[in-house]
Amino acid sequence: MNRVYGLHMSGQKVVSQQIAVEAMEEISCIVQRKVTIWDNLHANDYDQTRLYLGPYSGRDARIIEHTRGVLTNPNCEFEVNFVALHTLAQWSIDRNTRFSLTASREFCSIFLKTLHCICYQLNTQVH
């Protein structure tokens, strides 16, 4: 394949719970270039009854050394991406970040307060 073209991958599966550095090293060696991760961890476009409300997790901090970058495929429902996107942003700044259950609850609390404000604003605009 022409090296001008970039490659995307989603990990070992279409929706990978884990992405290991060894997998990124192997694929980079095979295709002789770094690939971009198209991360479907947050995606629900294949199953609209599923929502991902947890933090960005399961990615070895060293994978970034073996990639051109990370893209995320978020939930279809914009508002429910708050925790996932905020923790992905924090991971991109400090890839050694590990999100505990407490941190996830804090992000969920912020998300629910934000959602409450949005719903209140929409409700007052309607009436």
Side-chain angles (χ1 to χ4, degrees), residues 117-127:
C117 291
I118 291 169
C119 290
Y120 176 77
Q121 289 171 352
L122 289 174
N123 190 33
T124 57
Q125 289 173 0
V126 171
H127 295 290

PDB file of all heavy atoms in Angstrom, residues 117-127:
ATOM      1  N   CYS A 117     -29.306  21.469  33.956  1.00  0.00           N
ATOM      2  CA  CYS A 117     -29.336  22.873  33.520  1.00  0.00           C
ATOM      3  C   CYS A 117     -29.843  22.993  32.085  1.00  0.00           C
ATOM      4  O   CYS A 117     -30.650  23.865  31.776  1.00  0.00           O
ATOM      5  CB  CYS A 117     -27.949  23.506  33.631  1.00  0.00           C
ATOM      6  SG  CYS A 117     -27.406  23.742  35.323  1.00  0.00           S
ATOM      7  N   ILE A 118     -29.388  22.092  31.217  1.00  0.00           N
ATOM      8  CA  ILE A 118     -29.834  22.107  29.816  1.00  0.00           C
ATOM      9  C   ILE A 118     -31.335  21.848  29.747  1.00  0.00           C
ATOM     10  O   ILE A 118     -32.063  22.555  29.057  1.00  0.00           O
ATOM     11  CB  ILE A 118     -29.054  21.072  28.983  1.00  0.00           C
ATOM     12  CG1 ILE A 118     -27.598  21.509  28.839  1.00  0.00           C
ATOM     13  CG2 ILE A 118     -29.699  20.879  27.609  1.00  0.00           C
ATOM     14  CD1 ILE A 118     -26.692  20.432  28.260  1.00  0.00           C
ATOM     15  N   CYS A 119     -31.801  20.834  30.483  1.00  0.00           N
ATOM     16  CA  CYS A 119     -33.231  20.504  30.475  1.00  0.00           C
ATOM     17  C   CYS A 119     -34.056  21.654  31.035  1.00  0.00           C
ATOM     18  O   CYS A 119     -35.121  21.981  30.505  1.00  0.00           O
ATOM     19  CB  CYS A 119     -33.485  19.232  31.283  1.00  0.00           C
ATOM     20  SG  CYS A 119     -32.832  17.748  30.485  1.00  0.00           S
ATOM     21  N   TYR A 120     -33.569  22.295  32.095  1.00  0.00           N
ATOM     22  CA  TYR A 120     -34.278  23.422  32.683  1.00  0.00           C
ATOM     23  C   TYR A 120     -34.369  24.568  31.671  1.00  0.00           C
ATOM     24  O   TYR A 120     -35.431  25.155  31.479  1.00  0.00           O
ATOM     25  CB  TYR A 120     -33.562  23.894  33.956  1.00  0.00           C
ATOM     26  CG  TYR A 120     -34.203  25.133  34.551  1.00  0.00           C
ATOM     27  CD1 TYR A 120     -35.384  25.029  35.278  1.00  0.00           C
ATOM     28  CD2 TYR A 120     -33.638  26.388  34.358  1.00  0.00           C
ATOM     29  CE1 TYR A 120     -35.984  26.157  35.833  1.00  0.00           C
ATOM     30  CE2 TYR A 120     -34.235  27.521  34.888  1.00  0.00           C
ATOM     31  CZ  TYR A 120     -35.407  27.394  35.624  1.00  0.00           C
ATOM     32  OH  TYR A 120     -36.002  28.524  36.144  1.00  0.00           O
ATOM     33  N   GLN A 121     -33.264  24.850  30.987  1.00  0.00           N
ATOM     34  CA  GLN A 121     -33.253  25.927  29.994  1.00  0.00           C
ATOM     35  C   GLN A 121     -34.213  25.609  28.853  1.00  0.00           C
ATOM     36  O   GLN A 121     -34.949  26.472  28.387  1.00  0.00           O
ATOM     37  CB  GLN A 121     -31.844  26.159  29.462  1.00  0.00           C
ATOM     38  CG  GLN A 121     -30.925  26.792  30.476  1.00  0.00           C
ATOM     39  CD  GLN A 121     -29.476  26.818  29.997  1.00  0.00           C
ATOM     40  OE1 GLN A 121     -29.131  26.236  28.984  1.00  0.00           O
ATOM     41  NE2 GLN A 121     -28.635  27.502  30.758  1.00  0.00           N
ATOM     42  N   LEU A 122     -34.214  24.370  28.389  1.00  0.00           N
ATOM     43  CA  LEU A 122     -35.125  23.980  27.316  1.00  0.00           C
ATOM     44  C   LEU A 122     -36.570  24.080  27.770  1.00  0.00           C
ATOM     45  O   LEU A 122     -37.433  24.538  27.027  1.00  0.00           O
ATOM     46  CB  LEU A 122     -34.819  22.546  26.856  1.00  0.00           C
ATOM     47  CG  LEU A 122     -33.527  22.348  26.089  1.00  0.00           C
ATOM     48  CD1 LEU A 122     -33.305  20.873  25.841  1.00  0.00           C
ATOM     49  CD2 LEU A 122     -33.528  23.120  24.790  1.00  0.00           C
ATOM     50  N   ASN A 123     -36.840  23.668  28.997  1.00  0.00           N
ATOM     51  CA  ASN A 123     -38.190  23.711  29.534  1.00  0.00           C
ATOM     52  C   ASN A 123     -38.691  25.157  29.651  1.00  0.00           C
ATOM     53  O   ASN A 123     -39.840  25.444  29.334  1.00  0.00           O
ATOM     54  CB  ASN A 123     -38.232  23.009  30.900  1.00  0.00           C
ATOM     55  CG  ASN A 123     -39.653  22.804  31.381  1.00  0.00           C
ATOM     56  OD1 ASN A 123     -40.551  22.598  30.581  1.00  0.00           O
ATOM     57  ND2 ASN A 123     -39.844  22.862  32.687  1.00  0.00           N
ATOM     58  N   THR A 124     -37.843  26.071  30.109  1.00  0.00           N
ATOM     59  CA  THR A 124     -38.266  27.471  30.251  1.00  0.00           C
ATOM     60  C   THR A 124     -38.438  28.135  28.882  1.00  0.00           C
ATOM     61  O   THR A 124     -39.251  29.040  28.751  1.00  0.00           O
ATOM     62  CB  THR A 124     -37.256  28.273  31.094  1.00  0.00           C
ATOM     63  OG1 THR A 124     -35.969  28.186  30.514  1.00  0.00           O
ATOM     64  CG2 THR A 124     -37.236  27.773  32.535  1.00  0.00           C
ATOM     65  N   GLN A 125     -37.697  27.670  27.880  1.00  0.00           N
ATOM     66  CA  GLN A 125     -37.848  28.232  26.553  1.00  0.00           C
ATOM     67  C   GLN A 125     -39.157  27.774  25.902  1.00  0.00           C
ATOM     68  O   GLN A 125     -39.763  28.497  25.133  1.00  0.00           O
ATOM     69  CB  GLN A 125     -36.677  27.830  25.654  1.00  0.00           C
ATOM     70  CG  GLN A 125     -35.385  28.503  26.035  1.00  0.00           C
ATOM     71  CD  GLN A 125     -34.196  27.970  25.238  1.00  0.00           C
ATOM     72  OE1 GLN A 125     -34.344  27.099  24.398  1.00  0.00           O
ATOM     73  NE2 GLN A 125     -33.022  28.521  25.518  1.00  0.00           N
ATOM     74  N   VAL A 126     -39.591  26.577  26.230  1.00  0.00           N
ATOM     75  CA  VAL A 126     -40.808  26.019  25.653  1.00  0.00           C
ATOM     76  C   VAL A 126     -42.047  26.686  26.251  1.00  0.00           C
ATOM     77  O   VAL A 126     -43.015  26.950  25.572  1.00  0.00           O
ATOM     78  CB  VAL A 126     -40.868  24.479  25.855  1.00  0.00           C
ATOM     79  CG1 VAL A 126     -42.215  23.920  25.462  1.00  0.00           C
ATOM     80  CG2 VAL A 126     -39.751  23.818  25.089  1.00  0.00           C
ATOM     81  N   HIS A 127     -41.983  26.976  27.551  1.00  0.00           N
ATOM     82  CA  HIS A 127     -43.162  27.533  28.233  1.00  0.00           C
ATOM     83  C   HIS A 127     -43.143  29.010  28.185  1.00  0.00           C
ATOM     84  O   HIS A 127     -42.717  29.888  28.361  1.00  0.00           O
ATOM     85  CB  HIS A 127     -43.219  27.047  29.679  1.00  0.00           C
ATOM     86  CG  HIS A 127     -43.419  25.570  29.746  1.00  0.00           C
ATOM     87  ND1 HIS A 127     -44.604  24.962  29.387  1.00  0.00           N
ATOM     88  CD2 HIS A 127     -42.582  24.555  30.095  1.00  0.00           C
ATOM     89  CE1 HIS A 127     -44.490  23.663  29.538  1.00  0.00           C
ATOM     90  NE2 HIS A 127     -43.269  23.380  29.967  1.00  0.00           N
TER      91      HIS A 127
END
